[in-house]
Amino acid sequence: MRRHLLGLGSLPFSPLPSSSNPVSINVDVGISLGEYVPTYRFFGADEPNYAYYPDGEALLTELGQLGNQTYFRAHNLLTTGPGFPSLKFGSTNAYTETPDGQPIYNWTVVDRIFDAYLSRGVKPYVEVGFMPLALSTHPYPYFFNFTPSSPYDAIYTGWSDPPTSYAKWGQLVYEWAAHSVARYGAAEVESWYWEVWNEPNIQYWNGTIPGFYELNDYAVDGVRRALPSARVGGPAVAGGPAGSYLGDFLDHVLNGTNYATNETGTPLDFVSFHAKGAPTYVNDSNVTGGGYVQMGIAAQLQNIDQAFDVIASYPMVKNKPIVISEDDPDGCAACITPQYGYRNGLLYPSFDAAAFVRAMDLSLKYGVNLQGTLTWAFEYDDHAYFDGFRVLSTNQVDKPILNLHRMLGKISGTRVQAMSSGQVPLESAILNSINGSMTDTGALASFNQTTNTLFIFVWHYHDDDLPKPDSQVTVKVRNLPSGDCAANLTHYRIDNQHSNSYQKWLQMGSPQDPTSQQYSELKQAGMLQTLSEPDDKKRVRIEKGEAQVDFELPIHATSLLVLQM
């Protein structure tokens, strides 16, 4: 295991312990937990304009091929500017005004962004924001120059302020939605998500709470006037339920007076909120390099647990789809600090594996309808290889985190019971995180009756980016409907030898100007790979509906077993 500091290099720890921990995973195909929901298929970024840059187009193509319909959410779709991206900023110039205050609508850049999505099989998750300069009550300063070490609040400028006219704001959103219907067709736009603003409970909204309700009501009314069947929701708050904010918002949309229509209530087709982990950097002179990253999975799980608790308390909302429209290990994709040194290697995908499945488990616990766990990561054109940003690819070389999504995209069917002796209990992970003496070897299983295929997804996680013993995993399956037969086993793996372009890059000496041969090898290393198994391990005997598979799983590795009967 190697530690990753800012993505700029790596120093080995002491040798990995040779011992391994036995783990038993029991899969019962006869116990259904409901349909497998591909929550992984949502992505997003601050900078919308990279969608039509070369590396962005290449990555969108890959997102569109993940196996389920993918969606992309971006900030700054209404922000004023020339349409060039920079860190934490983008623009479309969709709205300006004449000298006498008459609106000018220009959808050229927005169309270019959405065309880039749709032509590559990705649908818009439309975040309605931010405030155009001509509509902002405090427009200056408006533009900013963010660097990886900038204080985060440097971004909060005139785009975060309320509009000078809520009627003009509502008409802007109407014109946008109407234009979208005219360009793409009602059936297509019906399949999108429309979510108003971003994290209004913090400085992204420099207005009052009633002011946000008014902003939301006028925007939703604008969308629905253009397309009555459009899917609208929110409120995309930061920090799970954000104290009472999520509940208060639900009270308003259910029972409050609509600012735009003066009627009771505001349409709400889905609920959204954000959940973030809390990584730290631990100084430790006993570790090579003087310290290590410690993730904070509990913070993210607490956000989800608390928000689900609020949503479940509203009978009229409980069954509506939920999208965690930012669901990440930390809170700033464009920042680079020591605690964010997990992003290039195995720690990132193993964290998301442990977090995403637990979000599904919490959905079952509360009886709510989780549909999305959105990864706020994309790419930055013209940046160094493995520079430490939270991205899915670097110079069109896919990072290990994207292979986690490829794994999850292969799963289908009905989720069935998978019990692991090595999995940290859900409540313990929420309360105490996963940073004690026990690592987390967890599992999710799904069975597709149509194709007669069993999927077993297994991860090995710990908050600490430190060496840990392997897990010696024994998977036992029962109640397969196939009786006695032989099944084909495909074993996908993300570890230091498989599906890991970062490890390959380190082995090359971390080149920033790789040769064509090196680049080809990096591209190949960035693809999802299978274990090279002997032929006798590629066939699994099923007797009386039971089967067994044994394998070792290193710390922060993930596996997907596909058993085809």
Side-chain angles (χ1 to χ4, degrees):
M1 182 66 195
R2 293 177 179 267
R3 181 178 66 83
H4 323 127
L5 177 57
L6 305 188
L8 301 178
S10 177
L11 295 170
F13 288 117
S14 55
L16 190 69
S18 58
S19 61
S20 60
N21 294 323
V23 173
S24 297
I25 297 176
N26 295 308
V27 176
D28 192 335
V29 177
I31 300 178
S32 170
L33 303 180
E35 285 300 301
Y36 167 73
V37 179
T39 66
Y40 74 91
R41 62 200 175 101
F42 294 78
F43 301 89
D46 293 73
E47 307 87 1
N49 306 97
Y50 281 122
Y52 51 75
Y53 277 52
D55 292 359
E57 291 179 334
L59 182 52
L60 284 172
T61 298
E62 297 192 309
L63 297 185
Q65 297 172 348
L66 285 178
N68 296 278
Q69 180 60 62
T70 47
Y71 285 85
F72 201 91
R73 174 181 185 260
H75 293 342
N76 293 302
L77 290 174
L78 294 177
T79 303
T80 301
F84 302 130
S86 60
L87 292 180
K88 295 198 71 65
F89 190 78
S91 58
T92 65
N93 232 37
Y95 181 91
T96 55
E97 291 184 351
T98 64
D100 62 350
Q102 297 304 306
I104 301 173
Y105 305 108
N106 184 344
W107 308 114
T108 303
V109 178
V110 173
D111 288 348
R112 192 175 180 189
I113 294 166
F114 285 4
D115 288 353
Y117 297 167
L118 292 164
S119 65
R120 291 164 178 83
V122 178
K123 290 182 181 290
Y125 183 114
V126 185
E127 181 194 306
V128 183
F130 293 121
M131 195 59 61
L133 187 148
L135 271 181
S136 175
T137 51
H138 299 90
Y140 299 106
Y142 193 85
F143 304 100
F144 59 86
N145 180 30
F146 190 83
T147 70
S149 59
S150 294
Y152 196 91
D153 60 6
I155 70 172
Y156 299 124
T157 57
W159 57 260
S160 64
D161 280 285
T164 56
S165 165
Y166 282 97
K168 283 187 174 182
W169 163 256
Q171 189 64 22
L172 165 61
V173 179
Y174 164 79
E175 296 288 348
W176 185 12
H179 169 80
S180 299
V181 172
R183 183 176 180 85
Y184 303 109
E188 172 59 41
V189 179
E190 281 176 347
S191 68
W192 301 359
Y193 293 79
W194 293 80
E195 177 189 70
V196 181
W197 216 253
N198 175 72
E199 299 184 346
N201 59 311
I202 62 173
Q203 290 168 278
Y204 275 92
W205 172 244
N206 191 24
T208 65
I209 293 174
F212 173 68
Y213 296 166
E214 190 167 4
L215 185 89
N216 178 79
D217 292 354
Y218 272 91
V220 168
D221 178 66
V223 173
R224 283 293 187 87
R225 282 192 289 121
L227 183 64
S229 55
R231 179 164 48 186
V232 295
V237 288
S244 66
Y245 203 112
L246 176 59
D248 293 343
F249 173 82
L250 294 177
D251 287 334
H252 169 71
V253 299
L254 292 174
N255 304 308
T257 300
N258 187 301
Y259 284 90
T261 67
N262 207 35
E263 297 175 354
T264 299
T266 305
L268 181 77
D269 299 311
F270 67 95
V271 183
S272 64
F273 65 89
H274 296 172
K276 303 286 185 174
T280 59
Y281 187 79
V282 179
N283 293 303
D284 187 342
S285 61
N286 295 317
V287 172
T288 303
Y292 61 92
V293 174
Q294 182 177 78
M295 306 298 280
I297 199 170
Q300 186 171 3
L301 297 177
Q302 288 165 13
N303 284 171
I304 298 168
D305 182 59
Q306 293 162 8
F308 283 179
D309 190 25
V310 171
I311 294 167
S313 70
Y314 287 82
M316 294 180 64
V317 176
K318 182 177 181 179
N319 294 323
K320 291 184 183 293
I322 297 169
V323 179
I324 308 174
S325 56
E326 291 183 26
D327 192 24
D328 302 293
D330 71 78
C332 182
C335 301
I336 298 179
T337 61
Q339 66 263 34
Y340 295 163
Y342 69 89
R343 293 165 167 176
N344 287 325
L346 299 179
L347 194 50
Y348 191 178
S350 63
F351 177 101
D352 271 4
F356 283 5
V357 175
R358 284 185 169 88
M360 297 178 196
D361 292 343
L362 284 168
S363 179
L364 292 174
K365 171 186 172 182
Y366 285 102
V368 295
N369 182 15
L370 177 65
Q371 290 294 309
T373 49
L374 188 148
T375 294
W376 197 255
F378 190 49
E379 66 81 31
Y380 296 117
D381 279 64
D382 301 321
H383 280 73
Y385 284 82
F386 300 100
D387 49 18
F389 292 115
R390 192 174 73 231
V391 292
L392 303 173
S393 67
T394 174
N395 293 285
Q396 297 190 33
V397 172
D398 298 337
K399 295 170 70 171
I401 182 59
L402 187 52
N403 284 317
L404 173 74
H405 292 270
R406 290 190 173 113
M407 274 189 180
L408 295 172
K410 292 184 177 294
I411 302 172
S412 63
T414 300
R415 189 176 172 189
V416 297
Q417 186 182 79
M419 305 291 290
S420 172
S421 66
Q423 186 165 337
V424 173
L426 178 61
E427 296 304 323
S428 177
I430 293 170
L431 291 174
N432 306 312
S433 207
I434 303 174
N435 54 25
S437 59
M438 180 180 175
T439 62
D440 180 50
T441 305
L444 173 146
S446 185
F447 184 71
N448 188 317
Q449 290 184 323
T450 303
T451 61
N452 213 23
T453 305
L454 178 65
F455 305 90
I456 306 171
F457 176 63
V458 186
W459 66 87
H460 189 189
Y461 176 73
H462 193 278
D463 276 351
D464 295 346
D465 195 5
L466 291 172
K468 305 286 180 183
D470 294 353
S471 287
Q472 181 61 51
V473 180
T474 297
V475 177
K476 294 183 178 180
V477 183
R478 63 192 299 262
N479 287 324
L480 284 165
S482 303
D484 296 346
C485 68
N488 293 319
L489 173 65
T490 305
H491 189 156
Y492 297 96
R493 170 63 66 84
I494 305 171
D495 60 19
N496 277 333
Q497 287 75 46
H498 303 86
S499 317
N500 192 336
S501 59
Y502 180 58
Q503 192 68 21
K504 173 66 72 173
W505 182 72
L506 293 176
Q507 292 168 357
M508 291 176 175
S510 308
Q512 285 299 335
D513 187 19
T515 66
S516 59
Q517 177 63 33
Q518 287 176 321
Y519 186 75
S520 177
E521 292 178 12
L522 287 172
K523 289 280 287 183
Q524 181 58 37
M527 295 294 104
L528 181 60
Q529 299 165 358
T530 59
L531 289 182
S532 298
E533 304 262 38
D535 288 342
D536 62 336
K537 286 196 172 184
K538 294 179 181 178
R539 299 283 285 174
V540 175
R541 185 66 190 169
I542 300 173
E543 296 182 354
K544 297 181 180 179
E546 298 184 353
Q548 180 172 319
V549 180
D550 300 284
F551 59 94
E552 287 193 350
L553 192 64
I555 186 64
H556 298 132
T558 52
S559 279
L560 175 63
L561 311 182
V562 181
L563 203 60
Q564 175 70 59
M565 272 65 77

Coordinates of all heavy atoms in Angstrom, one line a residue, residues 349-395:
P349 N -12.0 4.8 -4.2 CA -13.1 3.9 -4.5 C -13.5 3.0 -3.4 O -14.7 2.7 -3.3 CB -12.5 3.1 -5.7 CG -11.0 3.3 -5.6 CD -10.8 4.6 -5.0
S350 N -12.6 2.6 -2.5 CA -13.1 1.8 -1.4 C -14.0 2.6 -0.4 O -14.9 2.0 0.2 CB -11.9 1.2 -0.7 OG -11.1 2.2 -0.1
F351 N -13.7 3.9 -0.2 CA -14.5 4.7 0.6 C -15.9 4.8 0.0 O -16.9 4.6 0.7 CB -13.9 6.1 0.7 CG -14.8 7.1 1.5 CD1 -14.5 7.4 2.8 CD2 -15.9 7.7 0.9 CE1 -15.3 8.3 3.5 CE2 -16.7 8.6 1.6 CZ -16.4 8.9 2.9
D352 N -16.0 5.1 -1.3 CA -17.3 5.2 -1.9 C -18.1 3.9 -1.9 O -19.3 3.9 -1.8 CB -17.2 5.7 -3.3 CG -17.2 7.3 -3.4 OD1 -17.2 7.9 -2.3 OD2 -17.2 7.8 -4.5
A353 N -17.4 2.8 -2.1 CA -18.0 1.5 -2.0 C -18.7 1.3 -0.7 O -19.9 0.9 -0.6 CB -17.0 0.4 -2.3
A354 N -17.9 1.5 0.4 CA -18.5 1.4 1.8 C -19.6 2.4 2.0 O -20.6 2.0 2.7 CB -17.4 1.5 2.8
A355 N -19.5 3.6 1.5 CA -20.5 4.6 1.8 C -21.8 4.4 0.9 O -22.9 4.6 1.5 CB -19.9 6.0 1.5
F356 N -21.6 4.2 -0.3 CA -22.8 4.0 -1.2 C -23.7 2.9 -0.8 O -24.9 3.0 -0.7 CB -22.3 3.8 -2.7 CG -21.8 5.0 -3.4 CD1 -21.7 6.2 -2.8 CD2 -21.5 4.9 -4.7 CE1 -21.2 7.3 -3.4 CE2 -21.0 6.0 -5.4 CZ -20.9 7.2 -4.8
V357 N -23.1 1.7 -0.4 CA -23.9 0.6 0.0 C -24.6 0.9 1.3 O -25.8 0.5 1.5 CB -23.1 -0.7 0.0 CG1 -23.9 -1.9 0.6 CG2 -22.6 -1.0 -1.4
R358 N -23.9 1.6 2.2 CA -24.5 1.9 3.5 C -25.7 2.9 3.3 O -26.6 2.9 4.0 CB -23.5 2.4 4.5 CG -22.7 1.2 5.0 CD -21.7 1.7 6.1 NE -21.2 0.6 6.8 CZ -20.1 -0.1 6.4 NH1 -19.4 0.3 5.4 NH2 -19.6 -1.1 7.1
A359 N -25.5 3.8 2.3 CA -26.7 4.7 2.0 C -27.9 3.9 1.5 O -29.0 4.2 1.9 CB -26.2 5.7 0.9
M360 N -27.6 2.8 0.7 CA -28.7 2.0 0.3 C -29.3 1.3 1.5 O -30.6 1.1 1.7 CB -28.2 0.9 -0.7 CG -27.7 1.4 -2.0 SD -27.1 0.1 -3.0 CE -26.1 0.9 -4.2
D361 N -28.5 0.8 2.5 CA -29.0 0.2 3.7 C -29.8 1.1 4.5 O -30.8 0.7 5.1 CB -27.8 -0.4 4.5 CG -27.1 -1.5 3.8 OD1 -27.7 -2.1 2.8 OD2 -25.9 -1.9 4.1
L362 N -29.4 2.4 4.6 CA -30.1 3.4 5.4 C -31.5 3.6 4.7 O -32.5 3.9 5.4 CB -29.3 4.7 5.5 CG -28.2 4.6 6.6 CD1 -27.3 5.8 6.4 CD2 -28.8 4.6 8.0
S363 N -31.5 3.6 3.4 CA -32.8 3.7 2.7 C -33.7 2.6 3.0 O -34.9 2.9 3.3 CB -32.5 3.7 1.2 OG -33.7 3.8 0.4
L364 N -33.2 1.4 3.2 CA -34.0 0.3 3.6 C -34.5 0.5 5.1 O -35.6 0.2 5.4 CB -33.3 -1.0 3.5 CG -33.0 -1.5 2.0 CD1 -32.1 -2.7 2.1 CD2 -34.2 -1.8 1.3
K365 N -33.6 1.0 5.9 CA -33.9 1.2 7.3 C -35.1 2.1 7.5 O -36.0 1.9 8.3 CB -32.7 1.7 8.0 CG -33.0 2.1 9.5 CD -31.7 2.8 10.1 CE -32.0 3.4 11.4 NZ -30.9 4.1 12.0
Y366 N -35.1 3.2 6.7 CA -36.1 4.2 6.9 C -37.3 4.1 5.9 O -38.3 4.8 6.0 CB -35.5 5.6 6.7 CG -34.7 6.1 7.9 CD1 -33.3 6.0 7.8 CD2 -35.3 6.5 9.0 CE1 -32.5 6.4 8.9 CE2 -34.5 7.0 10.1 CZ -33.1 6.9 10.0 OH -32.4 7.3 11.1
G367 N -37.2 3.1 5.0 CA -38.3 2.9 4.1 C -38.5 4.1 3.1 O -39.6 4.4 2.7
V368 N -37.3 4.7 2.7 CA -37.4 5.8 1.8 C -36.9 5.4 0.4 O -36.3 4.3 0.3 CB -36.6 7.1 2.3 CG1 -37.3 7.6 3.6 CG2 -35.2 6.7 2.6
N369 N -37.0 6.2 -0.6 CA -36.7 5.9 -1.9 C -35.5 6.5 -2.5 O -35.5 7.4 -3.3 CB -38.0 6.3 -2.8 CG -37.9 5.9 -4.2 OD1 -37.1 5.0 -4.6 ND2 -38.7 6.5 -5.1
L370 N -34.3 6.0 -2.1 CA -33.0 6.5 -2.6 C -32.8 6.1 -4.0 O -32.9 4.9 -4.4 CB -31.9 6.0 -1.7 CG -30.5 6.4 -2.2 CD1 -30.3 7.9 -2.1 CD2 -29.4 5.7 -1.4
Q371 N -32.6 7.1 -4.9 CA -32.3 6.9 -6.3 C -30.9 7.3 -6.8 O -30.5 6.8 -7.8 CB -33.4 7.6 -7.2 CG -34.8 7.0 -7.0 CD -34.9 5.6 -7.6 OE1 -34.4 5.4 -8.8 NE2 -35.4 4.7 -6.8
G372 N -30.3 8.2 -6.0 CA -29.0 8.7 -6.5 C -28.1 9.1 -5.4 O -28.4 9.7 -4.4
T373 N -26.8 8.7 -5.6 CA -25.7 9.1 -4.8 C -24.7 9.8 -5.7 O -23.8 9.1 -6.3 CB -25.0 7.9 -4.1 OG1 -24.8 6.9 -5.0 CG2 -26.0 7.4 -3.0
L374 N -24.8 11.1 -5.9 CA -24.1 11.8 -6.9 C -22.6 12.1 -6.6 O -22.3 12.6 -5.5 CB -24.8 13.1 -7.3 CG -24.3 13.9 -8.5 CD1 -25.5 14.7 -9.1 CD2 -23.2 14.9 -8.1
T375 N -21.7 11.7 -7.5 CA -20.3 11.9 -7.3 C -19.9 13.3 -7.9 O -20.0 13.5 -9.1 CB -19.5 10.8 -7.9 OG1 -19.7 9.6 -7.2 CG2 -18.0 11.1 -7.9
W376 N -19.5 14.2 -7.0 CA -19.1 15.5 -7.5 C -17.6 15.5 -7.9 O -16.7 15.9 -7.2 CB -19.3 16.6 -6.4 CG -19.4 18.0 -6.9 CD1 -18.4 18.9 -6.8 CD2 -20.4 18.6 -7.6 NE1 -18.8 20.1 -7.4 CE2 -20.1 19.9 -7.9 CE3 -21.7 18.2 -8.1 CZ2 -20.9 20.8 -8.6 CZ3 -22.5 19.0 -8.8 CH2 -22.1 20.4 -9.0
A377 N -17.4 15.0 -9.2 CA -16.1 14.9 -9.7 C -16.2 14.7 -11.2 O -17.1 14.0 -11.7 CB -15.3 13.7 -9.1
F378 N -15.3 15.4 -12.0 CA -15.3 15.3 -13.4 C -13.9 15.3 -13.9 O -13.2 14.4 -13.6 CB -16.2 16.5 -14.0 CG -16.4 16.3 -15.5 CD1 -16.9 15.1 -16.0 CD2 -16.2 17.3 -16.4 CE1 -17.1 14.9 -17.4 CE2 -16.4 17.2 -17.8 CZ -16.9 16.0 -18.2
E379 N -13.4 16.4 -14.6 CA -12.1 16.4 -15.0 C -11.7 17.9 -15.3 O -12.6 18.8 -15.4 CB -11.8 15.6 -16.3 CG -12.6 16.1 -17.5 CD -11.8 17.2 -18.2 OE1 -10.6 17.3 -18.2 OE2 -12.5 18.1 -18.8
Y380 N -10.4 18.2 -15.3 CA -9.9 19.5 -15.7 C -8.9 19.4 -16.9 O -7.9 18.7 -16.8 CB -9.1 20.1 -14.5 CG -10.0 20.4 -13.3 CD1 -9.8 19.8 -12.1 CD2 -11.0 21.3 -13.4 CE1 -10.5 20.1 -11.0 CE2 -11.8 21.6 -12.3 CZ -11.6 20.9 -11.1 OH -12.4 21.2 -10.0
D381 N -9.3 19.9 -18.0 CA -8.4 19.9 -19.1 C -7.1 20.8 -18.8 O -7.2 21.7 -18.0 CB -9.1 20.6 -20.4 CG -10.0 19.6 -21.1 OD1 -11.0 19.2 -20.5 OD2 -9.7 19.3 -22.2
D382 N -6.0 20.4 -19.4 CA -4.8 21.1 -19.4 C -4.2 21.3 -17.9 O -3.7 22.3 -17.5 CB -4.9 22.5 -20.0 CG -5.4 22.4 -21.4 OD1 -4.8 21.5 -22.2 OD2 -6.2 23.2 -21.9
H383 N -4.3 20.2 -17.2 CA -3.7 20.1 -15.8 C -2.7 19.0 -15.8 O -2.8 18.1 -16.6 CB -4.8 20.0 -14.8 CG -5.5 21.3 -14.4 ND1 -6.4 21.9 -15.2 CD2 -5.4 22.1 -13.3 CE1 -6.8 23.0 -14.7 NE2 -6.2 23.2 -13.5
A384 N -1.9 19.0 -14.8 CA -0.9 17.9 -14.6 C -1.5 16.6 -14.3 O -2.6 16.5 -13.8 CB 0.1 18.3 -13.5
Y385 N -0.8 15.5 -14.7 CA -1.2 14.2 -14.4 C -1.3 14.0 -12.8 O -0.4 14.4 -12.1 CB -0.3 13.1 -14.9 CG -0.4 12.9 -16.4 CD1 0.3 13.8 -17.3 CD2 -1.1 11.9 -16.9 CE1 0.2 13.6 -18.7 CE2 -1.2 11.7 -18.3 CZ -0.5 12.5 -19.2 OH -0.6 12.3 -20.5
F386 N -2.4 13.4 -12.4 CA -2.6 13.0 -11.0 C -2.3 14.2 -10.1 O -1.5 14.1 -9.1 CB -1.8 11.8 -10.7 CG -2.2 10.6 -11.5 CD1 -1.5 10.2 -12.6 CD2 -3.4 9.9 -11.2 CE1 -1.8 9.1 -13.4 CE2 -3.7 8.8 -12.0 CZ -3.0 8.4 -13.1
D387 N -2.9 15.4 -10.4 CA -2.5 16.6 -9.7 C -3.1 16.7 -8.3 O -2.8 17.6 -7.5 CB -2.8 17.8 -10.5 CG -4.3 17.8 -11.1 OD1 -5.1 17.0 -10.5 OD2 -4.5 18.5 -12.0
G388 N -4.0 15.8 -7.9 CA -4.6 15.9 -6.6 C -6.0 16.4 -6.5 O -6.6 16.4 -5.4
F389 N -6.6 16.9 -7.6 CA -8.0 17.3 -7.6 C -8.9 16.1 -7.5 O -8.5 15.0 -7.8 CB -8.3 18.1 -8.9 CG -7.6 19.4 -9.0 CD1 -6.7 19.7 -10.0 CD2 -7.9 20.4 -8.1 CE1 -6.1 20.9 -10.1 CE2 -7.3 21.7 -8.1 CZ -6.4 21.9 -9.1
R390 N -10.1 16.3 -7.0 CA -11.1 15.2 -7.0 C -11.7 15.1 -8.4 O -12.7 15.8 -8.7 CB -12.1 15.5 -5.9 CG -13.0 14.2 -5.6 CD -13.9 14.4 -4.5 NE -15.0 15.3 -4.8 CZ -15.4 16.3 -4.0 NH1 -14.7 16.7 -2.9 NH2 -16.4 17.1 -4.4
V391 N -11.1 14.3 -9.2 CA -11.6 14.1 -10.6 C -11.7 12.6 -10.9 O -11.1 11.8 -10.2 CB -10.7 14.8 -11.6 CG1 -10.7 16.3 -11.5 CG2 -9.2 14.3 -11.4
L392 N -12.4 12.3 -12.0 CA -12.5 10.9 -12.5 C -11.4 10.5 -13.4 O -11.1 9.3 -13.5 CB -13.9 10.7 -13.1 CG -15.1 11.1 -12.3 CD1 -16.4 11.0 -13.2 CD2 -15.3 10.2 -11.1
S393 N -10.8 11.4 -14.1 CA -9.8 11.1 -15.1 C -8.8 12.3 -15.1 O -9.1 13.4 -14.7 CB -10.3 10.8 -16.5 OG -10.9 12.0 -17.0
T394 N -7.6 12.0 -15.6 CA -6.5 13.0 -15.7 C -5.9 12.8 -17.1 O -5.3 11.8 -17.4 CB -5.5 12.8 -14.6 OG1 -4.4 13.7 -14.8 CG2 -5.0 11.4 -14.5
N395 N -6.0 13.8 -17.9 CA -5.5 13.8 -19.3 C -6.0 12.6 -20.0 O -5.2 11.9 -20.7 CB -4.0 13.8 -19.3 CG -3.4 15.2 -18.8 OD1 -3.5 16.2 -19.5 ND2 -3.0 15.2 -17.5

